[in-house]
Amino acid sequence: MEMIDAKRVHELLDYEGLFAALEAAHKGGMPKQSDRLIYQEPNPQGQPDIFIILPAWEPQEGILAKLVTSFPNNKARHNLPTVNSIYVFINADTGVAEAVIDGEAVIFRKTSSDSAFGSKLLSREDAENFLMIGAGGLAPYLVKAHLAARPSLKRVMLWNRTGANAEGLAKTLAAEGIEADVVSDLDKAVSEADIISSATMANEPHLKGRLLKPGAHVDLVGSFTPEMREADDDVLKRASIFVDHRQTTTRSGEFLGPYERGIITPDDVHGDLFELCQGKVKGRQSADEITMMKNGGGSHIDYYVAKYLMDRHHGRPFSTRCSN
């Protein structure tokens, strides 16, 4: 069994290659078996501690087990990252584990490529202004992935509730040759942005739909539990709604509350990445159309990315048996 560390993961999971792999995989279908289990332990000092298990199994090809924890107080208590994870890729013919993979690195690459691939399919090709909301560990990867998906982007804006963290993100990006402006007025930045990516742990919406400019694209990454929410009702009412997978709508607070209150219905979701890649639904229809994609991060995408990683690691072209 091999150990694939973070450095090797980042070498293997290039964004252009990931976009191509995700497109090819979504022209097929889901792994035969996939699931998502979430366990939470209440935390009196804010957000709960979370343990997520995401398995996926494609017979005769591969089995993936992803284990991830999110402990929001890790930084303050132990000076450790909030999110920790490992991936185990298993041979589907023998049941023998082939590799244990650094999970944090895969999560950063997988989540950011999922969001940016959605933008590649839905945002305007002439988009120039990008806004990153949130400054956690995922944020620099979202910025880099969106820049890879839309080379037309000229300005990067950063906003975070704690300004010092946004300043830290700007320094991290600058070290990689990416110039970014820290902004203090979120509403103004939203009104100027052509593409907005939000990756926070928010329970209350901070993104106001009435401020979105015509033609904007919104990428929502947070709100992975029923209690969490990043965008207000006006975003859902103004935007053409897409998701990475339709099952996403059954577990995210971005949809559950609005469904209950009749703001939108499941029929208002135009399509997912499978339907877009297979030509079953159309994406953007006009320059002024506002689009939104909710990144749900299902285990099928973890599987595609891990399979792409393993194929590249062993010098093979990417392929998957997954089909509808």
Side-chain angles (χ1 to χ4, degrees), residues 89-106:
F89 198 87
I90 301 167
N91 185 298
D93 287 326
T94 65
V96 175
E98 293 183 350
V100 174
I101 310 166
D102 185 279
E104 181 183 63
V106 178

Side-chain angles (χ1 to χ4, degrees), residues 19-36:
F19 297 154
L22 288 174
E23 182 176 8
H26 282 92
K27 286 180 178 178
M30 294 277 285
K32 291 295 187 295
Q33 297 185 50
S34 60
D35 204 350
R36 174 184 169 116

Side-chain angles (χ1 to χ4, degrees), residues 297-317:
S299 60
H300 62 293
I301 299 179
D302 288 292
Y303 181 82
Y304 300 150
V305 170
K307 181 61 167 58
Y308 173 69
L309 183 151
M310 293 298 292
D311 284 344
R312 286 210 70 198
H313 182 60
H314 292 292
R316 305 184 297 247

Side-chain angles (χ1 to χ4, degrees), residues 12 72 148 190 201 240 243 259 265 268 313:
L12 294 170
V190 167
M201 298 288 285
S240 298
V243 291
Y259 282 170
T265 72
D268 290 312
H313 182 60

Side-chain angles (χ1 to χ4, degrees), residues 132-205:
M132 182 70 236
I133 301 175
L138 177 61
Y141 296 93
L142 283 165
V143 173
K144 289 183 285 187
H146 277 285
L147 289 173
R150 278 287 172 257
S152 60
L153 290 170
K154 297 178 179 178
R155 184 188 182 197
V156 175
M157 296 177 283
L158 310 175
W159 182 89
N160 191 67
R161 197 174 301 277
T162 303
N165 292 345
E167 295 286 354
L169 173 58
K171 291 179 181 178
T172 297
L173 293 170
E176 299 191 48
I178 300 171
E179 182 179 346
D181 300 324
V182 175
V183 297
S184 58
D185 188 337
L186 176 59
D187 288 354
K188 182 175 184 294
V190 167
S191 70
E192 296 174 351
D194 298 304
I195 299 174
I196 301 168
S197 181
S198 183
T200 72
M201 298 288 285
N203 283 337
E204 296 294 331

